[in-house]
Amino acid sequence: MNDFATLYAVLLAIVALQRIVELVWSRRNIRASARNSGVRAAGTTLDWSAMVAVHAALIVLPALEFFALERGELADGAIQRWIFWSCTALFFSAQALRYWTLGALGRAWNARALVDPNVGVVTSGPYRWIRHPNYLAVLIEFSAIPLAVGAWRSWLVLTLLHTPVLVRRIRSEEALLDAVPGYASAMGDKPRFVPRASGRVRDSTT
């Protein structure tokens, strides 16, 4: 094995630890929201199980492909090294976006996509420009993590598994958000993932 095997193992460990911490944080926020009336969850229990499964696969499949099939070796060459470090930089950029998002949402954030109409509409942080910055961070991760070590088989499988799960999640969540007073007028004209190159930006209010 080369040095990248150790670095990649650390990266995957960071992802696993991050998911565990976020689940704990999410449960705390859900318990606080449960006291409010009108709170509803996006999707079904099966949808949530599918989401958990694909996020577990994000760690397991690239690890199996890289360590079992490729034996923890990256092809020598500047291009592969550039890909590894570029994907690693993308991963950490996604984390910056994720925690910027979570900071803007505060206690309103949870992994189950529970929508509490009593919280109001968050338009601060990255929500000034897009509707789903956290899902954008996830999409970046689902490419950066497997492709960092050339695990293109895992990337293809993960894309096929994750895309329908995420689409269903977003549609369910947006159906609930559209019922929150003020959401459609504050967020309806903003893109889901990619900020517009130009255009009016609303004042940040919560």
Side-chain angles (χ1 to χ4, degrees), residues 78-179:
I79 293 178
Q80 184 57 63
R81 292 175 182 274
W82 180 85
I83 290 173
F84 179 87
W85 290 113
S86 295
C87 287
T88 300
L90 278 175
F91 170 80
F92 284 107
S93 297
Q95 305 324 299
L97 176 60
R98 166 179 279 113
Y99 291 110
W100 188 21
T101 300
L102 269 57
L105 290 175
R107 292 190 177 184
W109 177 82
N110 62 83
R112 293 295 301 268
L114 267 66
V115 175
D116 184 354
N118 299 305
V119 171
V121 181
V122 175
T123 58
S124 59
Y127 289 97
R128 293 183 64 190
W129 298 281
I130 56 178
R131 284 181 282 161
H132 297 296
N134 194 45
Y135 295 142
L136 173 58
V138 170
L139 287 170
I140 294 171
E141 286 180 335
F142 267 75
S143 290
I145 291 171
L147 294 180
V149 290
W152 60 269
R153 302 174 190 87
S154 297
W155 175 74
L156 286 174
V157 172
L158 287 166
T159 299
L160 291 173
L161 293 175
H162 181 238
T163 299
V165 172
L166 184 62
V167 168
R168 183 175 174 85
R169 169 73 169 254
I170 290 174
R171 287 177 176 173
S172 299
E173 186 174 347
E174 287 186 340
L176 296 180
L177 290 170
D178 285 339

